Amino acid sequence: MATFHYFLLLLLISSVAVNHTQAQLTTNFYASSCPNALSTIRTSIRTGIARERRMAASLLRLHFHDCFVQGCDASILLDQSPTITTEKTAPPNDKSARGYQLIDAAKAQLERICPGVVSCADVLAVAAKEASAYVGGPAWDVKLGRRDSTARRRCPAVGGDDALAPLDLVTPNSFDNNYFRDLVQRKGLLVSDQVLYSGGSTNSIVEEYSRSPSRFSADFAAAMVRMGDIQPLMGSAGQIRRICGAVN
């Protein structure tokens, strides 16, 4: 799965000052309150990806777009309502962001065994890891304890490449470093991709990842963990939505 151009940002997070929360999130957050939470999400997500393998990339992208709009709070999952303008139809997401139904299915399973316990934000974070691992990419320990937003966050405007989001994968059925190999060969899909290998400071990063799939995978996993720390709602903030598309 060669990642679309936004995902290079994840790999650079470790060297950029990002406003993230020092971990009150923990990997064992549901150990007592819902001990089967992670296995339930894993089974549900893998079942969904088995039906459509390309959905793995969509879940990674969904988590990314959620976290980069003022934090990992599942705001991207909210449906339109009289009081909420949905992010789902905002320009960066409209007709390109997918995977909502897989998150809803996993959440429904959790509500049967642990009602009102596991947040949609945490489901999305775990789903991204499971998606990566299922298609041969890295896995990582997901820190948990996020709560869900009760309102739409402001979705920032981005460049025009988003209309081409369906083309964001070079090899959609597996996780690999072909994205970087193509850049070195001057075969970047979009201009905004190829500029990453055009004589600038990112050339060395592209070259290293094109040579070393293991280094790319390790840095990708570390960046995903760091991204998951961006401004989570915790404690008494937000809520645990029972349905991911609507506030309680």
Side-chain angles (χ1 to χ4, degrees):
M1 181 199 308
T3 54
F4 58 101
H5 63 280
Y6 286 129
F7 268 83
L8 186 62
L9 292 176
L10 298 182
L11 301 172
L12 301 178
I13 284 175
S14 60
S15 62
V16 177
V18 175
N19 182 14
H20 64 94
T21 301
Q22 293 299 323
Q24 294 176 2
L25 302 175
T26 64
T27 58
N28 62 350
F29 187 82
Y30 297 111
S32 298
S33 59
C34 191
N36 293 323
L38 298 184
S39 61
T40 298
I41 298 171
R42 179 183 304 113
T43 299
S44 183
I45 293 300
R46 291 186 175 189
T47 298
I49 297 174
R51 290 193 293 264
E52 184 185 355
R53 194 171 175 90
R54 192 179 184 281
M55 195 60 75
S58 297
L59 290 172
L60 284 164
R61 187 177 197 269
L62 198 61
H63 183 40
F64 172 86
H65 275 242
D66 180 45
C67 290
F68 268 81
V69 181
Q70 300 180 27
C72 309
D73 59 6
S75 57
I76 198 171
L77 305 179
L78 287 168
D79 293 323
Q80 187 83 12
S81 78
T83 58
I84 294 173
T85 302
T86 180
E87 290 177 28
K88 290 182 179 180
T89 55
N93 304 322
D94 189 29
K95 299 178 182 177
S96 63
R98 309 188 316 146
Y100 301 107
Q101 71 274 25
L102 270 65
I103 303 302
D104 290 341
K107 175 62 172 174
Q109 292 290 334
L110 290 168
E111 286 300 303
R112 293 188 183 98
I113 62 172
C114 305
V117 173
V118 182
S119 70
C120 297
D122 278 348
V123 174
L124 186 50
V126 176
K129 184 264 290 190
E130 293 298 337
S132 173
Y134 188 87
V135 294
W140 52 90
D141 292 330
V142 181
K143 290 187 284 186
L144 302 165
R146 302 169 190 81
R147 290 169 65 86
D148 302 322
S149 72
T150 56
R152 178 247 192 196
R153 301 295 189 97
R154 182 173 59 84
C155 198
V158 296
D161 286 342
D162 295 87
L164 299 175
L167 302 177
D168 60 20
L169 298 176
V170 179
T171 48
N173 292 328
S174 62
F175 188 103
D176 58 45
N177 66 336
N178 284 348
Y179 174 90
F180 303 104
R181 292 180 180 178
D182 284 352
L183 293 183
V184 171
Q185 296 173 17
R186 309 292 179 179
K187 295 180 181 179
L189 183 61
L190 303 175
V191 173
S192 56
D193 292 323
Q194 192 59 59
V195 75
L196 297 171
Y197 192 75
S198 58
S201 60
T202 55
N203 267 31
S204 60
I205 298 173
V206 171
E207 289 173 352
E208 181 172 12
Y209 291 152
S210 72
R211 292 191 302 265
S212 177
S214 61
R215 177 61 186 272
F216 169 52
S217 292
D219 285 359
F220 185 91
M224 290 295 288
V225 172
R226 192 172 178 86
M227 186 184 75
D229 280 347
I230 297 175
Q231 294 181 291
L233 298 173
M234 294 183 293
S236 60
Q239 62 182 215
I240 305 298
R241 290 190 226 133
R242 292 182 179 270
I243 298 173
C244 291
V247 298
N248 294 341

